[in-house]
Amino acid sequence: MFHRTKIRLVALNTVVFSIVLCTFGIILYLYMNHLVYANTDTKLYSIAKGIQQEGIDGIIREHDSKREAERKVVYLLWDESENFIKSIPENAVFSVDIADFSPSRFQDKKIWTQTIHKHVYRILKIHTDPFYLKESNTKSVRTIELVLNTDPEAALLQNLLKLIILGCVVGLNISFLAGLFLAKRSLVPIQQSWEKQTQFAADASHELRTPLSVIQTYLELLFRHPQYTIEQESVTIYKVLQEVKRMNKLVSDLLTLAKTDSNQLLIQRQQFPIGELASTIVHQFEPIAELRNISIIQDIESNLIYVGDKERIHQLLVILMDNSMKYNVEGGTIRVTCKKEGNFIMIIIEDTGIGISNEDLPHIFDRFYRSDKSRSRSEGGTGLGLSIAKWITEAHNGEIKIWSELHKKTRVSIKLPL
Ligand SMILES: Nc1ncnc2c1ncn2[C@@H]1O[C@H](COP(=O)(O)OP(=O)(O)OP(=O)(O)O)[C@@H](O)[C@H]1O
Ligand SMILES: [Mg+2]
């Protein structure tokens, strides 16, 4: 799937880049073409104007006085019926080429470029009132062509064109390679998150299947003794209920995570005393703690006002308290701290429980990750608690950290900006 996307991305990139490059090349060429010929055209037009004002003789005199090195305009004179009369200077054009300069060839254009035997000429055609040349009284001049050899300009433009084509080809190759590199790089996070999502779906269905098959087994067990009373089957029914509860929790956790993934879950901020909330939750856990002989120490500052989503902070504290209770040992302690530190609210929940090994610690926030699957499952855990806790903390722009020493203690700290 990603291979095809990559190819498509590279192709799209190359096509877009080639269009941009070609357009740029064409514009550059046309602009240079205009610039180069604008010079010669101005020169030709100014001569044409001179001819129309002063007649051809003055222009030719001026022409002859020009230095040898200067590029000279050649004048081709034609009569009414487009017969060649003469060229100035004489013999400037080979007689075999004369037909190619015939004014009838480009009737409508006043100025044009003509390539004749590999030489490029810029030609301006003007019609004048008929006049006779001193030396030939037979033919009257009707059309004058001003011819300027533009070989240097043509060579310049040709070189430019070659350069542009080369630039385009090199640019395309670079854009293809760069596109390939960029597509590879930009697809990596997408691929990773896709794999994560696929893994999540697979894990979720697996986790859902387990309680379902347990429920099925117990229900089938009930059918074996239809004559038994509910009281006699109470153990089996209790186990089914446990699994249903577990599934209920799992589904609601999954729903929460799915909503966070699609950014549907919003934080509803309100002012509330966070210390009191923490105390209430601790209070709720006290009966279970007593049963397990776990003591809870509170170090909670009262009158701490926090602006955040009360429901979510409640959920966060329950997840953490639940963990420190579940993964604690007989006679252990839990210490709950909630205080203000500078511009932050610090919530720390420490327990003297089983701890987390260094290998497990980096994965602890991963969905469905449990260091001891059998223990967590027997405690009703699904491995989603800390993923949700992380999301809640980050949604409040906070930070969650876990330190732990295996078989000794675990300390979860949450830093929430005020
Ligand atoms: N205080 C703790 N002490 C020791 N291990 C912990 C503690 N908190 C979490 N863990 C380990 O991290 C794992 C992930 O915790 P998490 O809360 O995400 O899932 P869970 O408790 O297994 O299930 P859930 O919270 O969804 O019911 C746990 O399975 C446990 O192995
Ligand atoms: Mg948990």
Side-chain angles (χ1 to χ4, degrees):
M1 184 184 124
F2 283 96
H3 185 66
R4 274 180 60 187
T5 315
K6 192 162 75 191
I7 290 174
R8 246 187 260 165
L9 266 177
V10 174
L12 192 74
N13 184 63
T14 314
V15 166
V16 170
F17 201 73
S18 58
I19 290 174
V20 171
L21 219 60
C22 288
T23 314
F24 179 72
I26 290 168
I27 291 174
L28 183 69
Y29 181 78
L30 291 179
Y31 178 67
M32 282 308 285
N33 191 68
H34 165 79
L35 220 60
V36 162
Y37 283 117
N39 252 339
T40 57
D41 290 358
T42 318
K43 186 173 176 178
L44 289 177
Y45 278 122
S46 88
I47 294 173
K49 205 170 152 197
I51 290 175
Q52 260 142 11
Q53 282 169 0
E54 304 167 26
I56 188 132
D57 293 334
I59 299 297
I60 291 165
R61 237 178 289 122
E62 194 186 317
H63 170 269
D64 289 340
S65 71
K66 278 187 180 162
R67 269 171 284 129
E68 203 52 44
E70 212 169 318
R71 221 172 352 146
K72 287 180 184 175
V73 175
V74 172
Y75 303 85
L76 302 181
L77 311 181
W78 307 80
D79 74 0
E80 193 90 35
S81 32
E82 310 233 314
N83 294 315
F84 180 65
I85 304 173
K86 70 175 265 181
S87 75
I88 304 167
E90 289 207 53
N91 304 325
V93 179
F94 288 122
S95 52
V96 283
D97 294 343
I98 276 302
D100 290 325
F101 286 104
S102 168
S104 60
R105 293 188 60 145
F106 301 94
Q107 243 163 13
D108 297 333
K109 286 189 193 161
K110 256 192 117 184
I111 194 159
W112 72 92
T113 307
Q114 168 88 333
T115 309
I116 297 160
H117 292 132
K118 291 187 181 159
H119 291 291
V120 185
Y121 301 95
R122 195 81 175 147
I123 303 169
L124 175 64
K125 177 167 107 178
I126 44 175
H127 294 291
T128 62
D129 296 332
F131 65 90
Y132 291 96
L133 290 171
K134 278 180 226 127
E135 61 267 29
S136 97
N137 280 336
T138 48
K139 289 175 183 167
S140 74
V141 178
R142 190 75 179 88
T143 308
I144 304 173
E145 277 179 347
L146 311 180
V147 180
L148 188 67
N149 181 296
T150 53
D151 281 347
E153 283 87 352
L156 179 83
L157 286 174
Q158 205 171 12
N159 283 338
L160 180 71
L161 189 67
K162 275 184 202 160
L163 214 68
I164 288 174
I165 291 172
L166 187 77
C168 283
V169 172
V170 172
L172 279 186
N173 281 320
I174 290 174
S175 95
F176 175 77
L177 292 176
L180 205 66
F181 173 73
L182 286 178
K184 249 188 203 170
R185 275 196 65 166
S186 59
L187 278 178
V188 168
I190 301 171
Q191 197 163 358
Q192 277 170 353
S193 92
W194 170 262
E195 276 160 15
K196 233 168 136 181
Q197 212 57 37
T198 322
Q199 185 62 40
F200 179 52
D203 288 345
S205 18
H206 180 256
E207 290 296 325
L208 282 169
R209 221 177 49 196
T210 320
L212 272 178
S213 41
V214 174
I215 291 169
Q216 189 183 359
T217 317
Y218 282 124
L219 289 180
E220 281 165 1
L221 217 61
L222 283 181
F223 274 115
R224 280 209 202 153
H225 315 284
Q227 73 283 13
Y228 281 14
T229 62
I230 289 181
E231 197 182 358
Q232 281 170 309
E233 291 285 17
S234 61
V235 175
T236 315
I237 294 172
Y238 172 76
K239 281 179 178 162
V240 171
L241 268 177
Q242 282 291 93
E243 288 304 317
V244 169
K245 248 176 151 175
R246 202 182 125 72
M247 238 170 80
N248 208 346
K249 178 179 177 302
L250 179 64
V251 169
S252 86
D253 282 356
L254 282 176
L255 203 65
T256 306
L257 285 172
K259 278 186 188 165
T260 63
D261 284 346
S262 57
N263 291 330
Q264 275 182 36
L265 216 56
L266 298 175
I267 291 295
Q268 273 147 12
R269 290 178 196 276
Q270 66 179 96
Q271 261 194 8
F272 65 92
I274 196 166
E276 271 147 51
L277 180 72
S279 297
T280 316
I281 292 165
V282 169
H283 192 62
Q284 284 166 358
F285 273 90
E286 269 163 358
I288 321 169
E290 216 167 293
L291 274 179
R292 295 195 178 188
N293 200 17
I294 293 169
S295 49
I296 305 181
I297 304 163
Q298 289 191 54
D299 179 9
I300 297 173
E301 273 179 34
S302 51
N303 304 327
L304 279 182
I305 298 294
Y306 178 68
V307 181
D309 193 324
K310 192 178 172 188
E311 290 289 307
R312 296 288 163 207
I313 299 289
H314 183 279
Q315 190 182 7
L316 168 70
L317 294 175
V318 169
I319 288 171
L320 301 182
M321 279 303 287
D322 177 58
N323 279 354
S324 54
M325 196 69 76
K326 270 198 302 200
Y327 307 110
N328 217 321
V329 288
E330 264 302 303
T333 42
I334 298 173
R335 187 185 185 89
V336 182
T337 311
C338 180
K339 59 182 177 191
K340 192 176 166 206
E341 259 186 35
N343 263 338
F344 297 93
I345 296 274
M346 292 295 298
I347 301 172
I348 300 162
I349 297 178
E350 289 169 289
D351 64 70
T352 53
I354 58 168
I356 305 165
S357 69
N358 283 341
E359 295 88 68
D360 290 326
L361 219 44
H363 307 287
I364 221 73
F365 292 107
D366 292 354
R367 293 169 184 188
F368 297 112
Y369 192 87
R370 283 160 284 180
S371 33
D372 183 348
K373 284 217 182 223
S374 57
R375 175 170 180 145
S376 169
R377 197 183 143 66
S378 68
E379 302 274 4
T382 53
L384 293 177
L386 286 179
S387 320
I388 297 173
K390 189 170 172 14
W391 175 78
I392 294 173
T393 317
E394 283 171 0
H396 284 83
N397 304 317
E399 207 180 2
I400 181 166
K401 279 186 184 156
I402 297 195
W403 288 271
S404 190
E405 256 181 80
L406 195 59
H407 307 308
K408 274 198 178 152
K409 57 183 170 192
T410 305
R411 175 188 148 105
V412 185
S413 83
I414 287 168
K415 197 174 170 186
L416 296 171
L418 276 169

